[in-house]
Amino acid sequence: MGHYEVVNVGALDQWRDHTGGWSDHNTREGRRVVDHEFNNQYIGLTVNALIPGQEDSYWHDHAEVEEVYIFLTGRGQMGLDDDVIEVGPGTVVKVGQHTMRTYRCLPESPDQLRFICVRAGGSELGVKPTDATVDWDRPKPW
């Protein structure tokens, strides 16, 4: 049996039902720290849902970790150092080390700003996974 874990984070409209964070200062409704539910080694993941007008309570950056934000619903903005960018469904933002970031759901957003944040660091991934073993001949199970 392979090594894997499964967590169901629920449908998008259920993401506000969770409250999570890393400390009392950054715990909020609408954040689920999925990596706290897995035995992760290299990847962190949160699912997030901000209601119109809600914003993150702080700016932050990372010394070693990169983050990728994948926006699914709603309209919002991200503060990235001195820049502000518009985000919405289909926007993917990679934020590197030492870049300050924050985000908000626009007050006039037609829906909650729902997004996934993936965090990773440690060693470079390269252009393609070099640790993969490919079996072109193995039949599919379906």
Side-chain angles (χ1 to χ4, degrees), residues 27-53:
T27 295
R28 67 166 167 75
E29 186 178 353
R31 175 185 285 144
R32 184 169 182 175
V33 184
V34 179
D35 49 292
H36 289 176
E37 301 173 49
F38 285 132
N39 183 23
N40 286 12
Q41 188 174 3
Y42 300 110
I43 299 171
L45 176 76
T46 61
V47 295
N48 302 269
L50 302 177
I51 58 175

Side-chain angles (χ1 to χ4, degrees), residues 47-66:
V47 295
N48 302 269
L50 302 177
I51 58 175
Q54 184 180 8
E55 61 184 53
D56 199 18
S57 58
Y58 58 96
W59 284 86
H60 76 284
D61 73 353
H62 294 285
E64 297 179 21
V65 171
E66 293 179 317

Side-chain angles (χ1 to χ4, degrees), residues 72-86:
L72 305 172
T73 66
R75 306 300 301 167
Q77 293 176 314
M78 283 192 81
L80 299 161
D81 283 339
D82 295 329
D83 297 327
V84 175
I85 64 167
E86 303 295 314

